[in-house]
Amino acid sequence: MPSAPAHVVNVPVNQIREITQAAWATPDAIVLSIGEPGFPVARHVLEAGMAALDRDDTNYTPNAGIAPARAAFAERFSRLSGVDEDPSRVFVVAGAQQGLHLALSTLLGAGDEVLLPDPGYPTFAMMVGLLGGVQVPYPLVPEHGFQPRIEDLRSLVTARTKVLLLNSPSNPLGSVFGHGLTRELVRFAHEHDLWIVSDECYEAFTYDVPHVSPARFDAGGPEAVPEAREPRVITSLTLSKTYGLTGLRIGALVTPPGMEALLSNIMEATVSCVSAASQYAAVAALTGPQDYVSTALRHYRSNRDAATAVLDGLGIDYLDARGAFYLWADLSHATGGDVRAWTRSFLADRGVALAPGTAFGARGEGWVRIALCGRTDELVEGLSRLPAPPRTRPTP
């Protein structure tokens, strides 16, 4: 058999899937390792998808999607970001994953560098490697609240740097970029002639803080930085988390003007177009009742509070989640310098699956990601089985 090229062979195993598949094969395991919304999809969304199938709306759609879906995504993005977005620059994609791949496919040549968060979602690095790009992790560390620092980014820029990838609210961290930091990140990208690819998968779920889209500070945005002479922000959206449509594979890419023909051509060469039934379901989700979103937000917030109460009782440190539906917890006292192996042992011994921090980059060693989207009783029970750190004896 001919050998696969090195950039394919060297794509790392997704450790989230690794531990989750082991959990699915473990009887009665409590699975806190994967971010799968647990609420039934709203009935009006299901009926819109089924109606498309009933009328045999199963043909090709335009590469960029049906007009109602593009308009619905544009309206939501405009309302939440403050950017007046034209539907002609919205591409309907097969979920955020395909949208990010589409964006990077248009921007990267062989050897081009991408600044990626570490810790950050694992497929960011996987995609860059598959496209022949070079992954350059930028550090997110506890001392700075796991927020990016401009000075760290500046030290990593070279003549080959092409893209700054941002993710707020963050998976796995639950951190959220504030107004000032987001503005400075956009300014930095323009100063260094970089594209920004902004993954805003969890924009609907923040707690006591607003979601701030980098597009707000890009050229054409309501608070454009002085350096922004032309748009450089591409925004990735999805309905997977917002409406629980993970299996329908539906999202959108919001692009600067002038990229329409190029993106259409690349869509044709990859997936051609997204399922019509999924697109009509998306229209119903975006334009119909929003009860699902408000219910999910309350549940995730309640679960966050229940989880932190357990961790506080055990004396386990964590990052206070301000968005998404994950909690980032420090288990370095128990993991012995190999959190990946420890999560497998913890699953085997205590029946609980947690995502190892190294799934998200080298700086995740000793940490775990806890998914907050399932049943509260299972979450509390699973976390109560965690080993507490040794108590420090008071000095006599």
Side-chain angles (χ1 to χ4, degrees):
M1 177 185 296
S3 60
H7 73 279
V8 175
V9 173
N10 293 333
V11 172
V13 171
N14 188 326
Q15 295 177 37
I16 306 169
R17 283 284 178 177
E18 179 183 65
I19 189 68
T20 303
Q21 287 171 352
W24 288 338
T26 302
D28 301 320
I30 297 175
V31 183
L32 305 178
S33 54
I34 195 167
E36 179 71 58
F39 295 101
V41 173
R43 187 66 196 175
H44 69 281
V45 177
L46 296 174
E47 289 175 352
M50 290 186 287
L53 296 175
D54 284 341
R55 63 176 179 264
D56 195 21
D57 201 338
T58 54
N59 297 327
Y60 290 121
T61 75
N63 294 133
I66 61 175
R70 300 176 77 186
F73 272 112
E75 192 280 329
R76 178 178 175 83
F77 183 70
S78 299
R79 175 165 39 85
L80 296 180
S81 69
V83 178
D84 187 15
E85 191 57 58
D86 192 308
S88 68
R89 298 200 295 271
V90 173
F91 274 70
V92 181
V93 293
Q97 195 64 60
Q98 193 254 320
L100 290 168
H101 190 275
L102 177 63
L104 292 173
S105 295
T106 67
L107 303 178
L108 294 183
D112 285 341
E113 297 172 356
V114 182
L115 300 175
L116 299 170
D118 181 8
Y121 193 62
T123 59
F124 296 160
M126 294 167 73
M127 283 185 293
V128 172
L130 281 172
L131 291 168
V134 177
Q135 308 148 27
V136 180
Y138 59 84
L140 304 177
V141 296
E143 295 78 14
H144 303 293
F146 291 97
Q147 300 274 321
R149 297 197 306 164
I150 300 300
E151 54 264 46
D152 293 330
L153 293 168
R154 188 173 290 117
S155 71
L156 297 171
V157 172
T158 73
R160 295 307 303 266
T161 310
K162 197 71 172 290
V163 176
L164 169 62
L165 198 150
L166 302 176
N167 176 213
S168 175
S170 166
N171 177 7
L173 301 171
S175 57
V176 176
F177 300 166
H179 184 278
L181 174 59
T182 306
R183 187 175 191 275
E184 288 308 303
L185 289 167
V186 175
R187 183 195 295 272
F188 166 82
H190 280 278
E191 287 175 345
H192 293 275
D193 196 27
L194 306 179
W195 290 94
I196 287 179
V197 175
S198 179
D199 178 0
E200 301 178 30
C201 209
Y202 297 91
E203 46 83 15
F205 304 122
T206 61
Y207 315 108
D208 302 320
V209 295
H211 167 64
V212 183
S213 175
R216 187 172 188 85
F217 308 102
D218 201 20
E223 299 181 57
V225 297
E227 295 81 1
R229 294 180 176 84
E230 59 180 12
R232 306 307 300 268
V233 175
I234 300 175
T235 306
S236 175
L237 306 171
T238 182
L239 303 190
S240 290
K241 311 299 184 180
T242 311
Y243 299 97
L245 304 181
T246 52
L248 288 191
R249 310 312 304 137
I250 190 78
L253 203 63
V254 183
T255 67
M259 299 185 70
E260 296 88 344
L262 182 60
L263 284 165
S264 182
N265 203 33
I266 297 175
M267 274 291 281
E268 178 63 26
T270 51
V271 298
S272 183
C273 61
V274 178
S275 154
S278 291
Q279 293 189 60
Y280 283 107
V283 173
L286 289 163
T287 62
Q290 299 297 299
D291 303 48
Y292 181 99
V293 183
S294 56
T295 299
L297 179 62
R298 287 193 300 270
H299 178 69
Y300 301 152
R301 181 174 189 144
S302 176
N303 269 7
R304 181 201 63 171
D305 295 344
T308 56
V310 174
L311 297 184
D312 286 337
L314 292 170
I316 294 173
D317 289 335
Y318 56 88
L319 177 66
D320 186 27
R322 308 305 297 274
F325 46 62
Y326 303 106
L327 197 60
W328 187 244
D330 183 2
L331 269 293
S332 56
H333 61 277
T335 58
D338 188 349
V339 70
R340 183 182 183 182
W342 179 85
T343 56
R344 294 296 295 267
S345 297
F346 188 62
L347 171 62
D349 297 340
R350 302 307 307 273
V352 181
L354 304 166
T358 48
F360 309 97
R363 292 182 180 274
E365 182 56 68
W367 295 76
V368 296
R369 188 196 71 174
I370 302 161
L372 303 172
C373 41
R375 287 171 41 185
T376 306
D377 59 340
E378 288 192 347
L379 174 67
V380 169
E381 172 59 30
L383 296 186
S384 69
R385 300 178 190 177
L386 288 172
R391 305 290 182 180
T392 302
R393 293 183 179 179
T395 302

